[in-house]
mmCIF file of all heavy atoms in Angstrom:
data_model
loop_
_atom_site.group_PDB
_atom_site.id
_atom_site.type_symbol
_atom_site.label_atom_id
_atom_site.label_comp_id
_atom_site.label_asym_id
_atom_site.label_seq_id
_atom_site.Cartn_x
_atom_site.Cartn_y
_atom_site.Cartn_z
ATOM 1 N N GLY A 1161 0.803 -1.212 0.000
ATOM 2 C CA GLY A 1161 0.000 0.000 0.000
ATOM 3 C C GLY A 1161 0.836 1.262 0.000
ATOM 4 O O GLY A 1161 0.368 2.327 0.401
ATOM 5 N N LEU A 1162 2.081 1.161 -0.479
ATOM 6 C CA LEU A 1162 3.022 2.278 -0.441
ATOM 7 C C LEU A 1162 3.291 2.839 -1.841
ATOM 8 O O LEU A 1162 4.360 3.379 -2.110
ATOM 9 C CB LEU A 1162 4.335 1.836 0.213
ATOM 10 C CG LEU A 1162 4.205 1.379 1.665
ATOM 11 C CD1 LEU A 1162 5.526 0.772 2.157
ATOM 12 C CD2 LEU A 1162 3.791 2.540 2.577
ATOM 13 N N ALA A 1163 2.310 2.707 -2.714
ATOM 14 C CA ALA A 1163 2.421 3.242 -4.071
ATOM 15 C C ALA A 1163 1.032 3.619 -4.558
ATOM 16 O O ALA A 1163 0.035 3.072 -4.096
ATOM 17 C CB ALA A 1163 3.043 2.212 -5.008
ATOM 18 N N ILE A 1164 0.995 4.572 -5.473
ATOM 19 C CA ILE A 1164 -0.251 4.907 -6.157
ATOM 20 C C ILE A 1164 -0.018 4.870 -7.651
ATOM 21 O O ILE A 1164 1.098 5.105 -8.131
ATOM 22 C CB ILE A 1164 -0.815 6.290 -5.770
ATOM 23 C CG1 ILE A 1164 0.174 7.420 -6.147
ATOM 24 C CG2 ILE A 1164 -1.187 6.349 -4.299
ATOM 25 C CD1 ILE A 1164 -0.419 8.814 -6.077
ATOM 26 N N ASP A 1165 -1.053 4.543 -8.393
ATOM 27 C CA ASP A 1165 -1.064 4.712 -9.839
ATOM 28 C C ASP A 1165 -2.090 5.790 -10.160
ATOM 29 O O ASP A 1165 -3.218 5.759 -9.646
ATOM 30 C CB ASP A 1165 -1.472 3.426 -10.550
ATOM 31 C CG ASP A 1165 -0.365 2.386 -10.562
ATOM 32 O OD1 ASP A 1165 0.763 2.720 -10.147
ATOM 33 O OD2 ASP A 1165 -0.638 1.245 -10.963
ATOM 34 N N VAL A 1166 -1.688 6.748 -10.989
ATOM 35 C CA VAL A 1166 -2.608 7.762 -11.483
ATOM 36 C C VAL A 1166 -3.083 7.321 -12.863
ATOM 37 O O VAL A 1166 -2.549 6.355 -13.433
ATOM 38 C CB VAL A 1166 -1.936 9.147 -11.531
ATOM 39 C CG1 VAL A 1166 -1.587 9.612 -10.113
ATOM 40 C CG2 VAL A 1166 -0.683 9.134 -12.404
ATOM 41 N N PRO A 1167 -4.088 7.958 -13.447
ATOM 42 C CA PRO A 1167 -4.614 7.495 -14.736
ATOM 43 C C PRO A 1167 -3.587 7.529 -15.858
ATOM 44 O O PRO A 1167 -2.664 8.345 -15.859
ATOM 45 C CB PRO A 1167 -5.755 8.486 -15.016
ATOM 46 C CG PRO A 1167 -6.144 8.997 -13.675
ATOM 47 C CD PRO A 1167 -4.871 9.070 -12.894
ATOM 48 N N GLU A 1168 -3.769 6.652 -16.821
ATOM 49 C CA GLU A 1168 -2.925 6.634 -18.017
ATOM 50 C C GLU A 1168 -3.556 7.555 -19.068
ATOM 51 O O GLU A 1168 -3.926 7.116 -20.163
ATOM 52 C CB GLU A 1168 -2.761 5.211 -18.532
ATOM 53 C CG GLU A 1168 -2.038 4.301 -17.554
ATOM 54 C CD GLU A 1168 -1.917 2.885 -18.069
ATOM 55 O OE1 GLU A 1168 -1.483 2.712 -19.232
ATOM 56 O OE2 GLU A 1168 -2.256 1.943 -17.327
ATOM 57 N N SER A 1169 -3.685 8.811 -18.708
ATOM 58 C CA SER A 1169 -4.285 9.814 -19.588
ATOM 59 C C SER A 1169 -3.212 10.796 -20.030
ATOM 60 O O SER A 1169 -2.097 10.812 -19.491
ATOM 61 C CB SER A 1169 -5.403 10.555 -18.853
ATOM 62 O OG SER A 1169 -4.869 11.278 -17.752
ATOM 63 N N HIS A 1170 -3.541 11.655 -20.997
ATOM 64 C CA HIS A 1170 -2.539 12.586 -21.518
ATOM 65 C C HIS A 1170 -2.003 13.508 -20.428
ATOM 66 O O HIS A 1170 -0.793 13.752 -20.358
ATOM 67 C CB HIS A 1170 -3.124 13.424 -22.658
ATOM 68 C CG HIS A 1170 -2.151 14.459 -23.160
ATOM 69 N ND1 HIS A 1170 -1.043 14.133 -23.913
ATOM 70 C CD2 HIS A 1170 -2.102 15.813 -22.965
ATOM 71 C CE1 HIS A 1170 -0.354 15.236 -24.178
ATOM 72 N NE2 HIS A 1170 -0.979 16.258 -23.625
ATOM 73 N N ALA A 1171 -2.867 14.031 -19.587
ATOM 74 C CA ALA A 1171 -2.426 14.981 -18.562
ATOM 75 C C ALA A 1171 -1.459 14.349 -17.565
ATOM 76 O O ALA A 1171 -0.637 15.043 -16.965
ATOM 77 C CB ALA A 1171 -3.631 15.564 -17.832
ATOM 78 N N TYR A 1172 -1.561 13.033 -17.382
ATOM 79 C CA TYR A 1172 -0.659 12.328 -16.470
ATOM 80 C C TYR A 1172 0.454 11.587 -17.220
ATOM 81 O O TYR A 1172 1.220 10.843 -16.604
ATOM 82 C CB TYR A 1172 -1.444 11.320 -15.626
ATOM 83 C CG TYR A 1172 -2.292 11.950 -14.544
ATOM 84 C CD1 TYR A 1172 -3.665 12.084 -14.701
ATOM 85 C CD2 TYR A 1172 -1.731 12.387 -13.345
ATOM 86 C CE1 TYR A 1172 -4.459 12.651 -13.706
ATOM 87 C CE2 TYR A 1172 -2.505 12.948 -12.349
ATOM 88 C CZ TYR A 1172 -3.874 13.073 -12.530
ATOM 89 O OH TYR A 1172 -4.652 13.637 -11.535
ATOM 90 N N SER A 1173 0.559 11.794 -18.525
ATOM 91 C CA SER A 1173 1.604 11.146 -19.319
ATOM 92 C C SER A 1173 2.913 11.911 -19.159
ATOM 93 O O SER A 1173 2.960 12.978 -18.543
ATOM 94 C CB SER A 1173 1.197 11.113 -20.790
ATOM 95 O OG SER A 1173 1.245 12.429 -21.344
ATOM 96 N N PHE A 1174 3.982 11.366 -19.731
ATOM 97 C CA PHE A 1174 5.290 12.005 -19.597
ATOM 98 C C PHE A 1174 5.285 13.449 -20.100
ATOM 99 O O PHE A 1174 6.077 14.264 -19.637
ATOM 100 C CB PHE A 1174 6.354 11.195 -20.339
ATOM 101 C CG PHE A 1174 6.699 9.898 -19.662
ATOM 102 C CD1 PHE A 1174 6.341 8.684 -20.232
ATOM 103 C CD2 PHE A 1174 7.369 9.890 -18.449
ATOM 104 C CE1 PHE A 1174 6.653 7.486 -19.603
ATOM 105 C CE2 PHE A 1174 7.690 8.699 -17.818
ATOM 106 C CZ PHE A 1174 7.331 7.495 -18.390
ATOM 107 N N ARG A 1175 4.412 13.781 -21.017
ATOM 108 C CA ARG A 1175 4.333 15.144 -21.560
ATOM 109 C C ARG A 1175 3.190 15.949 -20.953
ATOM 110 O O ARG A 1175 2.951 17.085 -21.331
ATOM 111 C CB ARG A 1175 4.194 15.088 -23.082
ATOM 112 C CG ARG A 1175 5.451 14.545 -23.754
ATOM 113 C CD ARG A 1175 5.201 14.101 -25.182
ATOM 114 N NE ARG A 1175 6.387 13.474 -25.747
ATOM 115 C CZ ARG A 1175 6.795 12.226 -25.472
ATOM 116 N NH1 ARG A 1175 6.090 11.478 -24.651
ATOM 117 N NH2 ARG A 1175 7.892 11.737 -26.012
ATOM 118 N N GLY A 1176 2.500 15.353 -20.011
ATOM 119 C CA GLY A 1176 1.333 16.001 -19.426
ATOM 120 C C GLY A 1176 1.669 16.921 -18.264
ATOM 121 O O GLY A 1176 2.645 16.719 -17.542
ATOM 122 N N LYS A 1177 0.830 17.904 -18.046
ATOM 123 C CA LYS A 1177 1.087 18.894 -17.004
ATOM 124 C C LYS A 1177 1.009 18.304 -15.600
ATOM 125 O O LYS A 1177 1.752 18.727 -14.700
ATOM 126 C CB LYS A 1177 0.121 20.065 -17.143
ATOM 127 C CG LYS A 1177 -1.365 19.700 -17.029
ATOM 128 C CD LYS A 1177 -2.252 20.926 -17.217
ATOM 129 C CE LYS A 1177 -3.728 20.562 -17.102
ATOM 130 N NZ LYS A 1177 -4.590 21.754 -17.291
ATOM 131 N N TYR A 1178 0.141 17.327 -15.382
ATOM 132 C CA TYR A 1178 0.021 16.748 -14.046
ATOM 133 C C TYR A 1178 1.245 15.900 -13.718
ATOM 134 O O TYR A 1178 1.792 15.969 -12.613
ATOM 135 C CB TYR A 1178 -1.245 15.890 -13.930
ATOM 136 C CG TYR A 1178 -2.547 16.647 -14.129
ATOM 137 C CD1 TYR A 1178 -3.703 15.976 -14.531
ATOM 138 C CD2 TYR A 1178 -2.629 18.026 -13.924
ATOM 139 C CE1 TYR A 1178 -4.895 16.656 -14.718
ATOM 140 C CE2 TYR A 1178 -3.816 18.712 -14.110
ATOM 141 C CZ TYR A 1178 -4.947 18.018 -14.513
ATOM 142 O OH TYR A 1178 -6.125 18.691 -14.702
ATOM 143 N N TYR A 1179 1.685 15.105 -14.693
ATOM 144 C CA TYR A 1179 2.892 14.304 -14.459
ATOM 145 C C TYR A 1179 4.094 15.206 -14.176
ATOM 146 O O TYR A 1179 4.870 14.947 -13.245
ATOM 147 C CB TYR A 1179 3.205 13.406 -15.660
ATOM 148 C CG TYR A 1179 4.599 12.806 -15.579
ATOM 149 C CD1 TYR A 1179 4.846 11.698 -14.783
ATOM 150 C CD2 TYR A 1179 5.666 13.399 -16.261
ATOM 151 C CE1 TYR A 1179 6.124 11.178 -14.672
ATOM 152 C CE2 TYR A 1179 6.952 12.874 -16.157
ATOM 153 C CZ TYR A 1179 7.177 11.764 -15.362
ATOM 154 O OH TYR A 1179 8.453 11.272 -15.254
ATOM 155 N N LYS A 1180 4.273 16.230 -14.977
ATOM 156 C CA LYS A 1180 5.430 17.109 -14.810
ATOM 157 C C LYS A 1180 5.436 17.746 -13.435
ATOM 158 O O LYS A 1180 6.490 17.882 -12.798
ATOM 159 C CB LYS A 1180 5.441 18.176 -15.911
ATOM 160 C CG LYS A 1180 5.748 17.613 -17.294
ATOM 161 C CD LYS A 1180 5.685 18.698 -18.358
ATOM 162 C CE LYS A 1180 6.003 18.134 -19.744
ATOM 163 N NZ LYS A 1180 5.897 19.174 -20.803
ATOM 164 N N TRP A 1181 4.259 18.142 -12.951
ATOM 165 C CA TRP A 1181 4.192 18.725 -11.609
ATOM 166 C C TRP A 1181 4.528 17.681 -10.548
ATOM 167 O O TRP A 1181 5.312 17.955 -9.628
ATOM 168 C CB TRP A 1181 2.798 19.305 -11.351
ATOM 169 C CG TRP A 1181 2.713 20.058 -10.055
ATOM 170 C CD1 TRP A 1181 2.898 21.410 -9.876
ATOM 171 C CD2 TRP A 1181 2.440 19.516 -8.747
ATOM 172 N NE1 TRP A 1181 2.755 21.738 -8.542
ATOM 173 C CE2 TRP A 1181 2.479 20.590 -7.827
ATOM 174 C CE3 TRP A 1181 2.170 18.240 -8.286
ATOM 175 C CZ2 TRP A 1181 2.259 20.415 -6.473
ATOM 176 C CZ3 TRP A 1181 1.960 18.062 -6.919
ATOM 177 C CH2 TRP A 1181 2.005 19.141 -6.023
ATOM 178 N N LEU A 1182 3.946 16.498 -10.669
ATOM 179 C CA LEU A 1182 4.207 15.438 -9.692
ATOM 180 C C LEU A 1182 5.677 15.045 -9.699
ATOM 181 O O LEU A 1182 6.283 14.842 -8.638
ATOM 182 C CB LEU A 1182 3.330 14.226 -9.986
ATOM 183 C CG LEU A 1182 1.838 14.397 -9.691
ATOM 184 C CD1 LEU A 1182 1.042 13.230 -10.287
ATOM 185 C CD2 LEU A 1182 1.580 14.496 -8.194
ATOM 186 N N LYS A 1183 6.277 14.932 -10.864
ATOM 187 C CA LYS A 1183 7.687 14.573 -10.976
ATOM 188 C C LYS A 1183 8.562 15.614 -10.282
ATOM 189 O O LYS A 1183 9.528 15.268 -9.586
ATOM 190 C CB LYS A 1183 8.075 14.455 -12.451
ATOM 191 C CG LYS A 1183 9.524 14.066 -12.696
ATOM 192 C CD LYS A 1183 9.784 12.637 -12.325
ATOM 193 C CE LYS A 1183 11.204 12.217 -12.708
ATOM 194 N NZ LYS A 1183 11.489 10.808 -12.354
ATOM 195 N N SER A 1184 8.219 16.880 -10.440
ATOM 196 C CA SER A 1184 9.024 17.963 -9.871
ATOM 197 C C SER A 1184 8.784 18.179 -8.384
ATOM 198 O O SER A 1184 9.694 18.623 -7.664
ATOM 199 C CB SER A 1184 8.730 19.278 -10.615
ATOM 200 O OG SER A 1184 9.092 19.183 -11.965
ATOM 201 N N ASN A 1185 7.595 17.876 -7.907
ATOM 202 C CA ASN A 1185 7.225 18.264 -6.548
ATOM 203 C C ASN A 1185 7.012 17.113 -5.566
ATOM 204 O O ASN A 1185 6.982 17.344 -4.359
ATOM 205 C CB ASN A 1185 5.945 19.093 -6.593
ATOM 206 C CG ASN A 1185 6.152 20.435 -7.248
ATOM 207 O OD1 ASN A 1185 6.608 21.395 -6.620
ATOM 208 N ND2 ASN A 1185 5.827 20.522 -8.536
ATOM 209 N N SER A 1186 6.869 15.893 -6.052
ATOM 210 C CA SER A 1186 6.490 14.797 -5.161
ATOM 211 C C SER A 1186 7.495 14.549 -4.041
ATOM 212 O O SER A 1186 7.115 14.175 -2.927
ATOM 213 C CB SER A 1186 6.275 13.511 -5.966
ATOM 214 O OG SER A 1186 7.440 13.165 -6.683
ATOM 215 N N LYS A 1187 8.778 14.783 -4.285
ATOM 216 C CA LYS A 1187 9.801 14.529 -3.257
ATOM 217 C C LYS A 1187 9.602 15.403 -2.023
ATOM 218 O O LYS A 1187 9.993 15.020 -0.918
ATOM 219 C CB LYS A 1187 11.196 14.733 -3.837
ATOM 220 C CG LYS A 1187 11.618 13.650 -4.812
ATOM 221 C CD LYS A 1187 13.042 13.865 -5.307
ATOM 222 C CE LYS A 1187 13.457 12.770 -6.282
ATOM 223 N NZ LYS A 1187 14.827 12.982 -6.787
ATOM 224 N N LYS A 1188 9.001 16.557 -2.202
ATOM 225 C CA LYS A 1188 8.727 17.433 -1.058
ATOM 226 C C LYS A 1188 7.778 16.765 -0.070
ATOM 227 O O LYS A 1188 7.757 17.122 1.115
ATOM 228 C CB LYS A 1188 8.086 18.744 -1.534
ATOM 229 C CG LYS A 1188 8.912 19.571 -2.493
ATOM 230 C CD LYS A 1188 8.100 20.771 -2.957
ATOM 231 C CE LYS A 1188 8.802 21.540 -4.053
ATOM 232 N NZ LYS A 1188 7.962 22.683 -4.545
ATOM 233 N N TYR A 1189 7.023 15.814 -0.571
ATOM 234 C CA TYR A 1189 5.992 15.163 0.244
ATOM 235 C C TYR A 1189 6.293 13.672 0.457
ATOM 236 O O TYR A 1189 5.412 12.899 0.786
ATOM 237 C CB TYR A 1189 4.627 15.339 -0.436
ATOM 238 C CG TYR A 1189 4.359 16.790 -0.768
ATOM 239 C CD1 TYR A 1189 4.558 17.269 -2.066
ATOM 240 C CD2 TYR A 1189 3.964 17.688 0.226
ATOM 241 C CE1 TYR A 1189 4.345 18.606 -2.365
ATOM 242 C CE2 TYR A 1189 3.755 19.021 -0.077
ATOM 243 C CZ TYR A 1189 3.948 19.477 -1.372
ATOM 244 O OH TYR A 1189 3.747 20.804 -1.668
ATOM 245 N N ASN A 1190 7.568 13.313 0.271
ATOM 246 C CA ASN A 1190 8.044 11.938 0.495
ATOM 247 C C ASN A 1190 7.446 10.926 -0.487
ATOM 248 O O ASN A 1190 7.290 9.754 -0.165
ATOM 249 C CB ASN A 1190 7.770 11.499 1.941
ATOM 250 C CG ASN A 1190 8.494 12.362 2.952
ATOM 251 O OD1 ASN A 1190 9.680 12.642 2.794
ATOM 252 N ND2 ASN A 1190 7.786 12.819 3.970
ATOM 253 N N TRP A 1191 7.132 11.407 -1.682
ATOM 254 C CA TRP A 1191 6.703 10.546 -2.772
ATOM 255 C C TRP A 1191 7.693 10.704 -3.921
ATOM 256 O O TRP A 1191 8.309 11.766 -4.072
ATOM 257 C CB TRP A 1191 5.289 10.898 -3.239
ATOM 258 C CG TRP A 1191 4.241 10.417 -2.291
ATOM 259 C CD1 TRP A 1191 3.815 11.031 -1.148
ATOM 260 C CD2 TRP A 1191 3.500 9.199 -2.389
ATOM 261 N NE1 TRP A 1191 2.868 10.270 -0.519
ATOM 262 C CE2 TRP A 1191 2.644 9.146 -1.253
ATOM 263 C CE3 TRP A 1191 3.469 8.158 -3.313
ATOM 264 C CZ2 TRP A 1191 1.778 8.083 -1.033
ATOM 265 C CZ3 TRP A 1191 2.602 7.100 -3.100
ATOM 266 C CH2 TRP A 1191 1.766 7.069 -1.970
ATOM 267 N N LEU A 1192 7.883 9.669 -4.724
ATOM 268 C CA LEU A 1192 8.849 9.769 -5.817
ATOM 269 C C LEU A 1192 8.426 8.941 -7.025
ATOM 270 O O LEU A 1192 7.652 7.995 -6.906
ATOM 271 C CB LEU A 1192 10.238 9.335 -5.352
ATOM 272 C CG LEU A 1192 10.415 7.910 -4.806
ATOM 273 C CD1 LEU A 1192 10.714 6.922 -5.929
ATOM 274 C CD2 LEU A 1192 11.537 7.851 -3.785
ATOM 275 N N HIS A 1193 8.966 9.351 -8.162
ATOM 276 C CA HIS A 1193 8.832 8.591 -9.403
ATOM 277 C C HIS A 1193 10.227 8.069 -9.718
ATOM 278 O O HIS A 1193 11.148 8.840 -9.956
ATOM 279 C CB HIS A 1193 8.320 9.479 -10.539
ATOM 280 C CG HIS A 1193 8.138 8.756 -11.833
ATOM 281 N ND1 HIS A 1193 9.103 8.727 -12.808
ATOM 282 C CD2 HIS A 1193 7.094 8.014 -12.304
ATOM 283 C CE1 HIS A 1193 8.672 8.008 -13.835
ATOM 284 N NE2 HIS A 1193 7.461 7.575 -13.560
ATOM 285 N N ARG A 1194 10.411 6.745 -9.692
ATOM 286 C CA ARG A 1194 11.740 6.153 -9.822
ATOM 287 C C ARG A 1194 12.325 6.367 -11.215
ATOM 288 O O ARG A 1194 11.622 6.340 -12.218
ATOM 289 C CB ARG A 1194 11.676 4.652 -9.515
ATOM 290 C CG ARG A 1194 11.453 4.356 -8.046
ATOM 291 C CD ARG A 1194 11.624 2.880 -7.741
ATOM 292 N NE ARG A 1194 10.447 2.100 -8.106
ATOM 293 C CZ ARG A 1194 10.420 1.157 -9.030
ATOM 294 N NH1 ARG A 1194 11.511 0.885 -9.736
ATOM 295 N NH2 ARG A 1194 9.308 0.483 -9.284
ATOM 296 N N LYS A 1195 13.653 6.560 -11.246
ATOM 297 C CA LYS A 1195 14.344 6.812 -12.512
ATOM 298 C C LYS A 1195 14.194 5.646 -13.485
ATOM 299 O O LYS A 1195 14.145 5.836 -14.701
ATOM 300 C CB LYS A 1195 15.835 7.092 -12.251
ATOM 301 C CG LYS A 1195 16.110 8.417 -11.561
ATOM 302 C CD LYS A 1195 17.588 8.683 -11.453
ATOM 303 C CE LYS A 1195 18.229 8.955 -12.803
ATOM 304 N NZ LYS A 1195 17.761 10.225 -13.396
ATOM 305 N N ASN A 1196 14.117 4.416 -12.957
ATOM 306 C CA ASN A 1196 14.004 3.271 -13.861
ATOM 307 C C ASN A 1196 12.617 3.134 -14.475
ATOM 308 O O ASN A 1196 12.363 2.206 -15.226
ATOM 309 C CB ASN A 1196 14.406 1.975 -13.152
ATOM 310 C CG ASN A 1196 13.461 1.592 -12.032
ATOM 311 O OD1 ASN A 1196 12.713 2.425 -11.518
ATOM 312 N ND2 ASN A 1196 13.481 0.333 -11.639
ATOM 313 N N LEU A 1197 11.721 4.076 -14.160
ATOM 314 C CA LEU A 1197 10.398 4.103 -14.779
ATOM 315 C C LEU A 1197 10.246 5.241 -15.786
ATOM 316 O O LEU A 1197 9.185 5.426 -16.362
ATOM 317 C CB LEU A 1197 9.312 4.230 -13.703
ATOM 318 C CG LEU A 1197 9.203 3.087 -12.694
ATOM 319 C CD1 LEU A 1197 8.109 3.387 -11.688
ATOM 320 C CD2 LEU A 1197 8.937 1.754 -13.394
ATOM 321 N N GLU A 1198 11.316 6.008 -16.003
ATOM 322 C CA GLU A 1198 11.248 7.134 -16.923
ATOM 323 C C GLU A 1198 11.169 6.661 -18.373
ATOM 324 O O GLU A 1198 11.481 5.515 -18.697
ATOM 325 C CB GLU A 1198 12.448 8.056 -16.699
ATOM 326 C CG GLU A 1198 12.379 8.776 -15.360
ATOM 327 C CD GLU A 1198 13.571 9.667 -15.099
ATOM 328 O OE1 GLU A 1198 14.499 9.680 -15.948
ATOM 329 O OE2 GLU A 1198 13.595 10.345 -14.063
ATOM 330 N N GLU A 1199 10.765 7.569 -19.237
ATOM 331 C CA GLU A 1199 10.476 7.208 -20.626
ATOM 332 C C GLU A 1199 11.709 6.728 -21.379
ATOM 333 O O GLU A 1199 11.636 5.808 -22.199
ATOM 334 C CB GLU A 1199 9.860 8.400 -21.352
ATOM 335 C CG GLU A 1199 9.382 8.093 -22.751
ATOM 336 C CD GLU A 1199 8.653 9.258 -23.387
ATOM 337 O OE1 GLU A 1199 8.756 10.395 -22.868
ATOM 338 O OE2 GLU A 1199 7.972 9.044 -24.408
ATOM 339 N N PHE A 1200 12.846 7.340 -21.086
ATOM 340 C CA PHE A 1200 14.086 6.984 -21.781
ATOM 341 C C PHE A 1200 15.172 6.604 -20.792
ATOM 342 O O PHE A 1200 15.231 7.121 -19.673
ATOM 343 C CB PHE A 1200 14.565 8.153 -22.649
ATOM 344 C CG PHE A 1200 13.606 8.528 -23.749
ATOM 345 C CD1 PHE A 1200 12.764 9.622 -23.595
ATOM 346 C CD2 PHE A 1200 13.544 7.785 -24.922
ATOM 347 C CE1 PHE A 1200 11.867 9.965 -24.596
ATOM 348 C CE2 PHE A 1200 12.653 8.128 -25.924
ATOM 349 C CZ PHE A 1200 11.810 9.221 -25.769
ATOM 350 N N ARG A 1201 16.030 5.705 -21.211
ATOM 351 C CA ARG A 1201 17.177 5.299 -20.403
ATOM 352 C C ARG A 1201 18.306 6.309 -20.553
ATOM 353 O O ARG A 1201 18.244 7.208 -21.389
ATOM 354 C CB ARG A 1201 17.641 3.910 -20.838
ATOM 355 C CG ARG A 1201 16.657 2.805 -20.450
ATOM 356 C CD ARG A 1201 17.019 1.500 -21.104
ATOM 357 N NE ARG A 1201 16.286 0.379 -20.503
ATOM 358 C CZ ARG A 1201 16.153 -0.806 -21.054
ATOM 359 N NH1 ARG A 1201 16.697 -1.047 -22.240
ATOM 360 N NH2 ARG A 1201 15.490 -1.761 -20.444
ATOM 361 N N ALA A 1202 19.352 6.146 -19.747
ATOM 362 C CA ALA A 1202 20.484 7.081 -19.766
ATOM 363 C C ALA A 1202 21.159 7.134 -21.136
ATOM 364 O O ALA A 1202 21.706 8.175 -21.521
ATOM 365 C CB ALA A 1202 21.501 6.686 -18.696
ATOM 366 N N ASP A 1203 21.130 6.038 -21.890
ATOM 367 C CA ASP A 1203 21.753 6.023 -23.217
ATOM 368 C C ASP A 1203 20.844 6.557 -24.314
ATOM 369 O O ASP A 1203 21.195 6.530 -25.499
ATOM 370 C CB ASP A 1203 22.223 4.607 -23.562
ATOM 371 C CG ASP A 1203 21.071 3.601 -23.657
ATOM 372 O OD1 ASP A 1203 19.897 4.015 -23.505
ATOM 373 O OD2 ASP A 1203 21.348 2.409 -23.876
ATOM 374 N N GLY A 1204 19.657 7.036 -23.929
ATOM 375 C CA GLY A 1204 18.734 7.611 -24.896
ATOM 376 C C GLY A 1204 17.750 6.627 -25.500
ATOM 377 O O GLY A 1204 16.840 7.038 -26.237
#
């Protein structure tokens, strides 16, 4: 019970405004989006 999934909609997608806000601000509230779940790997 230590994770949430938000909708798979455009606003919550990698290019969506809600995702971008959550990605930037979630750490302030002890929530995070792990790097290994990002759209692209370090090699592109």
